[in-house]
Amino acid sequence: MTTTTIEAQVLPTPAGPLSLLSHEGTLVAAGFTADPEEMFTRLSPAMRAHGLARVDDLGHAARAVRDYLDGDLTALDTVEVSQPGSPGRQRLLTALREVPAGTTVTYAELAERAGMPRTAARAAGGACAGNLIAPFIPCHRVLPSTGGFGGYYYGTPVKQWLLTHEKALG
């Protein structure tokens, strides 16, 4: 049985370096770090078994990032993504991906969009915290109902930059 390597590319962005990890053309991890190994270690053991290799160009995913940075705020939506999770988490990640650029939702609203009660806000927060494919699955578009930015795995300055870029913040 042949295993295909997970390919990684690091792209410069105004918010900092963005590492993209792709397996067989599907993005399996992305995050604001200059070291793809940081993202790779967050993958499941089965995915890590494929190994990691840096490449110069991941093609569509890299183009989508450049287009997003150039103002096409829907470009990231065209990239196929995959990450593990329970059916509930998958519903939350799908609902999250459907939050349009330029808008934000609360954790309770995200839960509702996933077909869960508003009281599942904590589950929505957990799905965001465990999201391996930022900003393609845009957890930066979720804000706490109490105000402020809430947490963000890559730091609130990155979250603020993304929201400002998408004009979700005035």
Side-chain angles (χ1 to χ4, degrees), residues 17 42 47 49 71-72 80 90 106-107 109 116 133 147:
R42 295 179 68 200
M47 287 301 291
D72 179 357
E80 186 179 340
Q90 292 300 323
T106 65
Y107 292 101
E109 289 168 337
M116 300 173 171
I133 312 175

Side-chain angles (χ1 to χ4, degrees), residues 35-59:
D35 183 6
E37 188 72 31
E38 283 182 41
M39 298 305 306
F40 184 73
T41 60
R42 295 179 68 200
L43 295 175
S44 70
M47 287 301 291
R48 288 195 313 268
H50 292 286
L52 181 69
R54 285 190 186 226
V55 297
D56 292 332
D57 186 11
L58 281 179

